[in-house]
Amino acid sequence: MTNPFKDYKPEVVEYDEELDGGGEHLIRDDLMSEKEMLKAKITKAKAARKGNQTNYRQPIRTENEVK
């Protein structure tokens, strides 16, 4: 079996921010950090609204329940 890459010569690729869209990852990072902040804020608000409230749920009745 022959090696198909034996004549391969790697070329140097130049990075161009205009062509490659270099700033897009920064926008995503900002959005993700804002999402985490809002998620924490909502979670804290829900916990404060709920307080020490306990929920009581009656057992689910089934057809086979003995009366």
Side-chain angles (χ1 to χ4, degrees):
M1 184 160 147
T2 62
N3 185 356
F5 301 109
K6 75 176 183 182
D7 295 329
Y8 174 72
K9 302 282 188 230
E11 67 179 85
V12 177
V13 178
E14 295 294 325
Y15 174 75
D16 185 2
E17 190 172 321
E18 265 187 44
L19 293 175
D20 298 326
E24 290 183 20
H25 70 282
L26 298 174
I27 295 170
R28 183 178 187 280
D29 290 343
D30 290 342
L31 292 174
M32 294 302 285
S33 62
E34 185 176 350
K35 178 181 176 183
E36 289 174 15
M37 180 193 64
L38 290 173
K39 185 176 176 185
K41 185 177 180 181
I42 291 170
T43 304
K44 187 177 178 182
K46 282 184 178 181
R49 186 180 65 210
K50 188 171 183 181
N52 291 330
Q53 180 183 25
T54 57
N55 293 333
Y56 175 74
R57 182 174 171 189
Q58 293 182 343
I60 299 172
R61 287 182 259 145
T62 63
E63 296 174 10
N64 300 329
E65 186 175 305
V66 177
K67 293 184 181 185

